[in-house]
């Protein structure tokens, strides 16, 4: 009995691996917001930071790819190289620069809320292109849809609804001094920022689809990540050098600029993209994209601890909805995968039985 229980526990933990990995990924990505804000406070150009982010990511993940995947890495074909180039554009240079530009024209709250369109856009693209099946008539398919909707609804509540303030904890750590005199944004800036935010969401949704494609042709997460980061670093650097002509702006010292570039590059890009690539190959692009709203939960938590930001009832309610939605969608995806594995095994048994029957008949 204990052996059976141990086996079930091991199977459960094995099945939860992608969930645990994606939760850690969103926690790491939440830290990017802090370093972005600190770098801006220090006067660093965000375009240059994006460039350094992918340069550091390439320098970090390329040696891992050479060492860990030197024996089982398939041949790099022109198609894989082209997909890596597209991955660098949509998930790297283009997506990140659209994001920071929309951030400068609108607000962090608005851009964070717009980012919740990524699961919807990924869901539409994946089902339209046949990367994922909708299966709306099954319980697993309904769970994926309901979980995605709940996650997005929770993120929207977290972003737009405050309610009364909740005093859970208080720290004396204030990394950023808030300026209450923010200038009002013009209508034209708001419209342009909205369009850029939408374009950024679409870019990341396309990137998830590309990662699913490249994962089938080139199933090496470190090598594919190095390929993506390498192309993105070239693209982002060329763009930044065309916009930022002052060479002194590129200088890094032993300060927050270097720390921000190292964190966003090595951890938030190098390891995170490798983890996302692995999860996309295991569970598909929709499963990965539905974890995006969880970043808002971590941002609210970190912001309350280190940025002196207030915690409101809306943050709590939204976080609960996000967690319920993620669990529901994850359950649906797991159930769908188990059904596919069962059908595959049954089909294999049928084919084997028919082959044996034909051999016996021929004798």
């Amino acid at each position: 009995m204990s052996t059976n229980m141990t086996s079930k526990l091991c199977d459960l933990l094995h099945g939860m691996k992608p969930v645990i990995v994606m939760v850690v990924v969103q926690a790491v990505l939440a830290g990017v917001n802090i370093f972005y804000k600190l770098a801006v406070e220090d006067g660093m150009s965000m375009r240059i930071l994006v460039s350094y982010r992918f340069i550091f990511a390439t320098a970090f993940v390329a040696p891992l790819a050479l060492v860990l995947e030197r024996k089982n890495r398939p041949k790099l074909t022109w198609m894989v190289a082209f997909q890596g180039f597209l991955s660098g554009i949509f998930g790297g240079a283009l997506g990140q620069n659209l994001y920071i530009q929309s951030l400068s024209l609108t607000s962090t709250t608005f851009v964070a809320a717009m980012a919740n369109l990524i699961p919807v856009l990924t869901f539409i693209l994946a089902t339209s292109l046949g990367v994922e099946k909708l299966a709306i008539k099954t319980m697993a398919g309904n769970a994926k849809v309901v979980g995605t909707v709940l996650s997005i609804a929770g993120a929207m509540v977290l972003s737009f609804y405050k309610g009364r303030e909740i005093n859970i904890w208080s720290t004396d750590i204030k990394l950023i001094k808030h300026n209450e005199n923010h200038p009002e944004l013009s209508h034209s800036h708001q419209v342009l920022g909205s369009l850029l935010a939408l374009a950024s969401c679409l870019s990341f949704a396309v990137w998830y689809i590309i990662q699913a494609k490249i994962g089938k042709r080139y199933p090496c997460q470190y090598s594919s990540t190095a390929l993506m980061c390498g192309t993105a670093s070239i693209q982002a650097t060329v763009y930044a050098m065309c916009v930022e002509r002052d060479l002194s702006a590129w200088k890094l010292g032993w300060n927050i600029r270097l720390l921000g570039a190292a964190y966003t590059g090595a951890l938030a890009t190098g390891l995170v993209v490798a983890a996302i690539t692995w999860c996309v190959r295991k569970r598909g692009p929709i499963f990965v994209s539905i974890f995006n709203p969880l970043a808002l939960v971590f941002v609210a938590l970190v912001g309350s601890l280190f940025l002196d930001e207030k915690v409101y009832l809306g943050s709590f309610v939204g976080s609960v909805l996000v967690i319920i939605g993620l669990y529901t969608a994850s359950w649906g995806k797991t159930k769908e995968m188990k059904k596919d594995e069962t059908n595959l095994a049954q089909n294999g048994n049928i084919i084997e039985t028919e082959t044996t029957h034909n051999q016996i008949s021929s004798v």
Side-chain angles (χ1 to χ4, degrees), residues 247-270:
L247 295 180
S248 62
W250 289 80
K251 292 182 180 179
L252 293 176
W254 294 101
N255 50 26
I256 191 60
R257 298 189 181 194
L258 177 61
L259 183 59
Y263 178 89
T264 59
L267 289 180
T269 302

Side-chain angles (χ1 to χ4, degrees), residues 3 17 52 54 84 111 166 213 230 293 302 319 339 348 361 363:
T3 304
K17 273 185 182 179
Y52 274 126
F54 289 104
V111 174
I166 302 176
K213 296 290 186 181
V302 173
S319 300
K339 183 179 179 181
S361 300
V363 173

Side-chain angles (χ1 to χ4, degrees), residues 32 36 66 100 132 172 185 192 196 200 215 224-225 265 301 319 346 353:
V32 173
Y36 271 177
L66 291 175
I100 62 171
E132 289 259 4
D172 294 328
L185 296 172
L192 179 58
L196 291 175
S200 174
S224 61
T225 301
L301 177 64
S319 300
Q346 290 176 350
T353 302

Side-chain angles (χ1 to χ4, degrees), residues 81-339:
F82 178 66
Q83 289 177 337
F85 177 79
L86 293 179
S87 181
I89 291 178
F90 291 104
L94 179 62
Q96 289 294 330
N97 277 291
L98 286 172
Y99 177 84
I100 62 171
Q101 191 61 36
S102 64
L103 190 64
S104 66
L105 293 174
T106 56
S107 65
T108 53
T109 302
F110 179 81
V111 174
M114 287 291 288
N116 298 306
L117 291 175
I118 295 177
V120 178
L121 295 173
T122 306
F123 193 85
I124 294 173
L125 286 175
T127 52
S128 300
L129 298 174
V131 178
E132 289 259 4
K133 57 183 180 180
L134 186 57
I136 194 64
K137 294 182 179 180
T138 65
M139 186 179 293
N142 289 329
K144 288 196 300 182
V145 174
V146 172
T148 302
V149 172
L150 279 176
S151 296
I152 296 170
M156 291 298 182
V157 170
L158 199 153
S159 299
F160 293 119
Y161 173 69
K162 284 188 175 182
R164 65 184 182 88
E165 183 179 340
I166 302 176
N167 295 315
I168 302 177
W169 49 63
S170 178
T171 66
D172 294 328
I173 304 174
K174 299 179 182 180
L175 299 180
I176 296 177
K177 294 182 179 179
H178 295 285
N179 182 14
E180 300 295 337
N181 300 318
H182 294 295
E184 292 294 330
L185 296 172
S186 66
H187 178 70
S188 60
H189 282 182
Q190 184 69 33
V191 172
L192 179 58
S194 302
L195 294 175
L196 291 175
L198 179 61
S200 174
C201 294
L202 182 60
S203 180
F204 288 123
V206 172
W207 176 60
Y208 283 133
I209 304 300
I210 294 174
Q211 289 301 102
K213 296 290 186 181
I214 199 173
K216 294 179 180 179
R217 292 178 178 268
Y218 203 65
C220 300
Q221 61 260 28
Y222 294 111
S223 297
S224 61
T225 301
L227 180 63
M228 175 241 176
C229 293
T231 55
S233 63
I234 296 172
Q235 296 158 359
T237 301
V238 170
Y239 173 68
M241 292 186 69
C242 291
V243 178
E244 306 289 345
R245 303 296 180 87
D246 186 8
L247 295 180
S248 62
W250 289 80
K251 292 182 180 179
L252 293 176
W254 294 101
N255 50 26
I256 191 60
R257 298 189 181 194
L258 177 61
L259 183 59
Y263 178 89
T264 59
L267 289 180
T269 302
L271 287 181
V272 161
V273 172
I276 289 176
T277 302
W278 179 79
C279 288
V280 167
R281 194 170 74 247
K282 291 290 184 180
R283 295 292 181 90
I286 293 179
F287 173 83
V288 173
S289 68
I290 62 174
F291 280 83
N292 277 40
L294 187 60
L296 271 176
V297 179
F298 287 115
V299 168
L301 177 64
V302 173
S304 65
L305 286 173
F306 301 110
L307 302 181
D308 194 32
E309 295 181 351
K310 306 300 181 183
V311 178
Y312 297 94
L313 178 62
S315 301
F316 177 77
V317 175
S319 300
V320 171
L321 287 175
V322 168
I323 293 171
I324 294 175
L326 291 176
Y327 175 81
T328 305
S330 175
W331 177 85
K333 185 61 180 178
T334 303
K335 188 174 181 65
E336 184 181 78
M337 290 185 65
K338 287 182 178 180
K339 183 179 179 181

